[in-house]
């Protein structure tokens, strides 16, 4: 029990996604992740997560329009981002900005399904605008206003880099967002559900979720992967670097997963995307790290393989995303999964309140302070 991390414990029923950790498969609403990555866009996947079905053309056009209507931020939130210290991590600024958005959202306290769907769409639209604004402001540049005619992935890259991305770059970001959109009862989704199960509002739930995603054992791992690649420096140094780190009993970022006992199905899709953008030093190094890790872990009898964060690092780097923003990009995708789970939790809500087995001292009496 101690330190079990709730491994394998089923805490609820959900229709949003299904993971088979032994087989290494992931489905959103019954659709394999490989097919969604190949044949749909992030906007279609967002609709699927919120509604349980893929949209038809009319429904997709409507959701695209509603997202575009939500891209803009209140001036107060830009001011808040400008006021944050440059030393603050972009995930801490995102967490603060989403919390602040709740102060200006006229529907913030409305807990009807209709209002919560409105907020899910609006927040999904606002995450990229905030993320890009954080990056621009800390580089001393003006934020780039969103363009209503661009899809969410293209708009994110446009607002980050100040120029409309090429089709391949926009499509790569789109697939990366699809792959990161949803993943069952992971730590951040669970914290969103715990928060909203108290009947706290959507913005509070997402603030909890962002704080949880930030940690290096969860979404923060993609940034740490890039730091690791930079420390390794050259593909030829990968083997000795990894062996030394394992000798020091360090966890290698981007490897291992609580649920998958085989390759995370999202990792090979990202690996292929990286290849399609053109070979890079980081990708070559990632391949080398993977070979060494799989060999070493097998020798140690542990089923540790690359997870979604491993190849996303080199892909984001190729798309011009600064390293400290990697986890924010993850959040820009996962907001759809979080909000889908918030909607599902509220359909049949019960306060989530487990208990702990007490292992402290037996019952005793308080002695006056002078006698202690
Ligand atoms: N590097 C080296 N050894 C590892 C790694 C790793 N990345 N991951 C697990 N192991 C080892 C553990 O030390 C443990 O060894 P032991 O049995 O000798 O103690 C064994 O493999 C089993 O792993 P657990 O610790 O049981 O794995 P757990 O389910 O607790 O943790 C976690 C999963 C947190 C993801 C872990 O693998 C890890 O820290 N990975 C690195 C961080 C990372 O990439 N996180 C992103 C996860 S995916 C996501 O959140 C989107």
């Amino acid at each position: 029990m101690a330190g079990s991390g709730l491994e394998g414990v089923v805490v609820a029923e959900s229709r949003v996604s299904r993971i088979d950790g032994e087989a290494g498969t992931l489905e959103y609403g019954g659709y394999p992740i490989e097919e969604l990555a190949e044949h749909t866009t992030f906007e279609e996947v967002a609709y699927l997560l919120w509604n349980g079905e893929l949209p038809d053309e009319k429904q997709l056009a409507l959701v695209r329009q509603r997202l575009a209507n939500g891209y803009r931020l209140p001036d107060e939130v830009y001011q808040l981002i400008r006021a944050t210290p440059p030393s603050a991590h972009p995930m801490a600024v995102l967490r603060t900005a989403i919390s602040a958005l709740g102060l200006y959202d006229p529907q913030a306290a409305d807990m009807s399904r209709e209002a919560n769907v409105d907020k899910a769409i609006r927040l999904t639209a606002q995450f990229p605008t905030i993320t890009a604004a954080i990056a621009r402001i800390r580089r001393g540049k003006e934020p780039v206003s969103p363009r209503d005619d661009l899809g969410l992935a293209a708009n994110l890259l446009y607002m980050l880099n100040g120029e409309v991305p090429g089709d391949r770059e926009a499509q790569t970001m789109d697939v990366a967002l699809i792959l990161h959109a949803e993943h069952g009862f992971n730590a951040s989704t669970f914290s969103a559900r715990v928060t909203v199960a108290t009947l706290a509002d959507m913005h509070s739930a997402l603030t909890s979720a962002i704080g949880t995603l930030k940690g290096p054992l969860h979404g923060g791992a993609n940034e740490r992967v890039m730091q690791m690649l930079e420390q390794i420096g050259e593909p030829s140094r990968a083997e000795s670097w990894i062996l030394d780190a394992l000798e020091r009993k360090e966890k290698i970022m981007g490897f291992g997963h609580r649920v998958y006992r085989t390759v995370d199905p999202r990792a090979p899709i990202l690996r292929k995307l990286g290849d399609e953008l053109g070979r890079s030093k980081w990708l070559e190094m990632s391949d080398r790290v993977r070979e060494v890790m799989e060999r070493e872990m097998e020798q140690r009898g542990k089923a540790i393989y690359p997870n979604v964060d491993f190849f996303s690092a080199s892909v984001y780097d190729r798309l011009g995303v600064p390293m400290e923003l990697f986890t924010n990009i993850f959040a820009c995708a996962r907001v759809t999964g979080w909000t889908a789970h918030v909607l599902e939790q509220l359909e049949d809500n019960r306060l989530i309140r487990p208990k702990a087995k007490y292992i402290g001292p037996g019952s005793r009496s308080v002695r006056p302070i002078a006698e202690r």
Side-chain angles (χ1 to χ4, degrees), residues 45-360:
V45 166
Y47 185 99
L48 168 68
L49 297 175
W50 294 324
N51 299 289
E53 294 297 338
L54 282 167
D56 60 23
E57 279 178 14
K58 215 169 128 200
Q59 289 162 330
L60 179 60
L62 187 63
V63 81
R64 276 185 195 280
Q65 186 57 52
R66 292 180 73 188
L67 282 164
N69 291 345
Y71 284 160
R72 284 184 166 65
L73 303 176
D75 284 346
E76 291 85 348
V77 174
Y78 282 114
Q79 281 164 25
L80 177 86
I81 297 171
R82 286 183 202 282
T84 55
S87 57
H89 191 279
M91 279 293 280
V93 183
L94 177 70
R95 186 191 61 217
T96 307
I98 292 301
S99 180
L101 267 182
L103 308 176
Y104 303 104
D105 192 321
Q107 287 180 300
D110 185 342
M111 291 295 274
S112 65
R113 179 171 166 97
E114 204 186 12
N116 278 328
V117 170
D118 285 351
K119 284 179 274 180
I121 294 172
R122 201 153 49 240
L123 281 155
T124 299
Q126 288 164 330
F127 267 57
T129 315
I130 294 173
T131 294
I134 295 170
R136 303 274 307 178
I137 287 169
R138 58 182 49 205
R139 277 185 265 158
K141 297 182 176 162
E142 273 306 298
V144 173
S145 295
R147 264 180 49 173
D148 298 356
D149 58 322
L150 294 178
L152 193 137
N155 210 12
L156 171 55
L157 288 173
Y158 167 67
M159 291 186 290
L160 262 179
N161 299 324
E163 44 189 70
V164 177
D167 288 347
R168 181 177 295 281
E169 284 72 22
Q171 209 200 338
T172 301
M173 179 56 87
D174 196 73
V175 176
L177 294 177
I178 291 174
L179 298 178
H180 287 84
E182 157 59 14
H183 212 236
F185 267 52
N186 58 86
S188 54
T189 301
F190 187 51
S191 66
R193 287 188 77 133
V194 170
T195 303
V196 85
T198 68
L199 298 185
D201 56 278
M202 177 84 90
H203 289 82
S204 298
L206 295 202
T207 306
S208 298
I210 297 167
T212 310
L213 186 72
K214 183 173 181 284
L217 296 188
H218 191 11
N222 54 14
E223 181 182 346
R224 303 292 180 103
V225 170
M226 200 65 221
Q227 286 169 356
M228 172 178 79
L229 296 179
E230 286 193 351
Q231 279 171 24
I232 295 174
E234 288 300 327
S236 60
R237 291 191 57 223
E239 176 154 17
S240 57
W241 196 96
I242 294 294
L243 293 179
D244 286 351
L246 289 176
E247 185 68 29
R248 292 192 300 272
K249 303 248 174 289
E250 283 174 15
K251 288 256 174 80
I252 308 300
M253 292 292 139
F255 285 84
H257 201 276
R258 171 58 60 80
V259 182
Y260 293 116
R261 292 295 155 236
T262 180
V263 177
D264 177 336
R266 300 165 295 180
I269 305 175
L270 279 163
R271 165 74 185 67
K272 189 161 165 270
L273 287 178
D275 232 6
E276 285 165 3
L277 287 172
R279 292 296 302 177
S280 75
K281 178 168 117 175
W282 302 133
L283 199 58
E284 199 183 319
M285 204 185 288
S286 303
D287 283 342
R288 192 72 198 107
V289 168
R290 178 190 180 163
E291 279 164 29
V292 176
M293 269 302 278
E294 290 190 356
R295 183 191 73 208
E296 290 300 312
M297 288 293 127
E298 204 179 308
Q299 279 172 12
R300 291 164 167 78
K302 295 177 193 170
I304 304 291
Y305 298 91
N307 58 48
V308 69
D309 288 319
F310 186 59
F311 288 110
S312 64
S314 41
V315 168
Y316 292 160
D317 182 73
R318 278 303 298 264
L319 293 174
V321 179
M323 174 167 55
E324 71 274 13
L325 225 64
F326 285 7
T327 313
N328 293 54
I329 303 293
F330 189 157
C332 288
R334 188 55 60 86
V335 58
T336 54
W338 291 332
T339 47
H341 279 273
V342 164
L343 295 171
E344 187 177 63
Q345 180 66 36
L346 292 173
E347 275 171 22
D348 182 22
N349 188 53
R350 186 149 190 249
L351 180 75
I352 299 172
R353 203 303 189 188
K355 60 180 189 177
K357 180 180 169 197
Y358 178 70
I359 55 163

